[in-house]
Amino acid sequence: MSETKDRLVLIVEDAVELAQISQITLNRIGLKTFHAVNGQRALEFLSENTPDLMLLDIGLPGMN
């Protein structure tokens, strides 16, 4: 699991339950996660962080 120790995944998803399932699954394999509920919050996060992977809902309200 040391390979995943410092890996960060950004989850951009407005369906909170789906994001929680993704977070739990990714955390169990040792990945760090951050959940943004909308595009604006994701952009704010990205202005200060560089995730290794982003899981992106392409149908977000207000921003696709």
Side-chain angles (χ1 to χ4, degrees), residues 2-62:
S2 63
E3 297 172 0
T4 62
K5 181 181 175 190
D6 295 321
R7 303 291 183 182
L8 175 62
V9 179
L10 170 59
I11 302 168
V12 187
E13 175 61 65
D14 59 327
V16 176
E17 297 84 8
L18 181 56
Q20 287 174 336
I21 291 168
S22 299
Q23 281 187 288
I24 290 167
T25 302
L26 294 169
N27 291 157
R28 282 186 180 165
I29 62 170
L31 297 167
K32 296 179 185 177
T33 59
F34 181 85
H35 173 219
V37 295
N38 59 47
Q40 182 61 42
R41 183 64 187 113
L43 291 174
E44 291 169 4
F45 178 81
L46 289 168
S47 72
E48 298 181 15
N49 301 278
T50 304
D52 297 288
L53 175 70
M54 181 173 12
L55 301 178
L56 177 61
D57 178 351
I58 59 171
L60 295 170

